[in-house]
Amino acid sequence: MKEGQVHETVIGSPRGGVIRPLLVNLYLNYLDTIWERQFTQTGTLVRYADDLVILCHRKEQALKAIRVLKAVFAKL
């Protein structure tokens, strides 16, 4: 929806579509891999499909986690 008008798209997977969780897990496997290799000291990444939480002990870790997520998502 843009400016009150519905616009259909032919890209992406439909929200609520049965294939969506599988596609999201395949896509975000990269995030899981990078996090496990390089950022476990920053916090614990907990992810289910396209929902995620990063559990951190300190504010500095949380801010670093946000920077890492932004960088990974920009690459994806």
Side-chain angles (χ1 to χ4, degrees):
M1 181 171 276
K2 184 177 180 181
E3 298 177 7
Q5 298 285 336
V6 175
H7 299 275
E8 293 195 26
T9 181
V10 294
I11 60 173
S13 61
R15 196 126 176 98
V18 294
I19 193 74
R20 185 179 175 93
L22 174 64
L23 294 175
V24 168
N25 278 319
L26 289 172
Y27 191 74
L28 291 180
N29 183 60
Y30 177 74
L31 170 64
D32 296 338
T33 302
I34 293 296
W35 195 270
E36 286 300 315
R37 287 185 184 165
Q38 298 179 20
F39 300 105
T40 54
Q41 74 284 355
T42 302
T44 302
L45 173 67
V46 180
R47 191 175 67 74
Y48 179 78
D50 60 350
D51 294 323
L52 67 89
V53 174
I54 299 176
L55 306 168
C56 302
H57 290 282
R58 293 183 301 281
K59 182 177 179 177
E60 297 78 24
Q61 292 173 309
L63 295 172
K64 180 178 179 180
I66 291 169
R67 288 192 304 273
V68 170
L69 288 177
K70 285 181 178 181
V72 171
F73 291 152
K75 185 172 183 170
L76 292 175

